[in-house]
Amino acid sequence: MEHATGAVVLAAEVVNELPVPAIVYGLGFLVAFIALAFVTYSYRNVANRHRAKGGSPHGGQH
């Protein structure tokens, strides 16, 4: 009876190894987050740049 119980306990402890250390995943997500933050930051003040280009040939402002 002890043999069957031991097999069940061993089967429950199956561990799948990661292909790289866990810190690499964290650093990868950090780099991706910083890259996305840079892209978001690059769109600052875009509305003000386009507002200066008026459709009126006389340069009228709203």
Side-chain angles (χ1 to χ4, degrees):
M1 189 68 170
E2 290 179 24
H3 182 65
T5 306
V8 171
V9 171
L10 289 177
E13 295 182 12
V14 173
V15 176
N16 293 326
E17 294 289 329
L18 295 173
V20 294
I23 190 72
V24 175
Y25 289 105
L27 291 175
F29 281 113
L30 181 65
V31 168
F33 180 73
I34 291 171
L36 290 173
F38 179 73
V39 169
T40 302
Y41 183 72
S42 69
Y43 281 99
R44 73 188 191 290
N45 208 16
V46 170
N48 291 335
R49 275 188 261 160
H50 293 296
R51 193 173 295 165
K53 295 180 181 179
S56 174
H58 303 294
Q61 298 278 330
H62 292 327

